[in-house]
Amino acid sequence: MDINTLTAEMSLEESPRPPKSAKREGYLKWEDYFMGTALLAAKRSKDPNCQVGACIVNRENRIVGIGYNGMPNGCSDDTFPWDKNNKQFYVCHAEMNAILNRNIIDLKGCTLYVSRFPCNECAKMIIQSGITKVYYIYDKSPNKDVYIASKKMLEEAYVQFEVFKSEHKTIVIDLTPPLNINVS
Ligand SMILES: Nc1ccn([C@H]2C[C@H](O)[C@@H](COP(=O)(O)O)O2)c(=O)n1
Ligand SMILES: [Zn+2]
């Protein structure tokens, strides 16, 4: 075997194996991480019918605000009503909480990840805060006036909105060792 043949055989054998210092494959993409964070926040909601989560991200991919739908501070989750006809008077929406919980002053150019399409009141806050992009998972009631008004305002104010797409369906996180995270 001459030296050229030997070299060819070695490189063939080694090609499928990444070098020891290579990064791991299968890590979460930024977008899945942000929407995953919004969905995890939604799990804090006490609303029996609809749990919504929101996550605001700046241009440097830093999370700058997280929120979920819930009663205002000081208004007990156990005494204020969660039924369909009455909760609307009290509940703070996920988007509103994420904006109010922000850890930076200026949200100009930020992106909002939210599990449901924003209502008209949240659209006003989104616009006024300077958020320029909204990713949402679904629009539950596109024909309701509040969502029609919301779309009208977002469009007029050049806030882009887009259905969130992912190559994954689920992210499963273990809370006990060996702490697997399964993305499928
Ligand atoms: N974009 C949204 C939409 C809804 N919510 C919250 C507000 C309520 O807690 C609940 C809505 O329930 P539904 O009227 O559909 O029974 O979800 C939100 O935070 N953000
Ligand atoms: Zn809202």
Side-chain angles (χ1 to χ4, degrees):
M1 194 184 293
D2 64 23
I3 185 68
N4 290 335
T5 316
L6 184 60
T7 310
E9 278 183 6
M10 279 171 65
S11 64
L12 251 185
E13 195 179 287
E14 285 175 10
S15 61
R17 250 184 277 144
K20 277 216 173 88
S21 62
K23 69 181 180 192
R24 86 175 239 274
E25 297 297 321
Y27 56 87
L28 277 188
K29 285 189 176 156
W30 282 120
E31 298 76 23
D32 293 328
Y33 169 52
F34 299 139
M35 191 55 95
T37 299
L39 294 171
L40 190 59
K43 297 287 176 199
R44 286 278 309 145
S45 175
K46 320 298 182 306
D47 190 322
N49 289 313
C50 181
Q51 302 84 42
V52 184
C55 173
I56 303 171
V57 178
N58 73 7
R59 291 188 184 108
E60 281 83 47
N61 283 333
R62 300 284 188 274
I63 294 176
V64 295
I66 296 179
Y68 57 88
N69 54 326
M71 292 299 171
N73 289 342
C75 301
S76 169
D77 296 322
D78 298 314
T79 52
F80 278 76
W82 286 110
D83 64 281
K84 215 157 177 59
N85 294 328
N86 290 299
K87 67 181 174 186
Q88 57 181 318
F89 301 118
Y90 307 104
V91 174
C92 300
H93 287 194
E95 303 90 319
M96 174 191 184
N97 278 333
I99 291 171
L100 294 175
N101 287 341
R102 70 188 183 278
N103 57 15
I104 54 170
I105 291 172
D106 193 357
L107 295 182
K108 233 172 252 144
C110 285
T111 297
L112 172 72
Y113 291 79
V114 60
S115 45
R116 269 187 58 182
F117 193 80
C119 74
N120 62 321
E121 292 301 328
C122 291
K124 294 176 197 173
M125 293 194 67
I126 290 166
I127 293 165
Q128 295 304 77
S129 71
I131 289 170
T132 46
K133 177 94 197 192
V134 176
Y135 285 106
Y136 64 98
I137 293 184
Y138 83 124
D139 190 355
K140 192 180 168 195
S141 321
N143 300 321
K144 269 195 180 169
D145 287 347
V146 294
Y147 296 102
I148 293 170
S150 171
K151 281 199 184 102
K152 197 172 171 179
M153 287 187 281
L154 293 173
E155 274 166 358
E156 199 70 14
Y158 298 105
V159 176
Q160 296 179 351
F161 51 88
E162 193 176 320
V163 175
F164 179 75
K165 296 264 185 281
S166 173
E167 60 188 83
H168 305 298
K169 278 203 159 149
T170 61
I171 303 171
V172 180
I173 306 170
D174 277 1
L175 288 178
T176 51
L179 300 176
N180 288 325
I181 299 175
N182 288 311
V183 179
S184 60

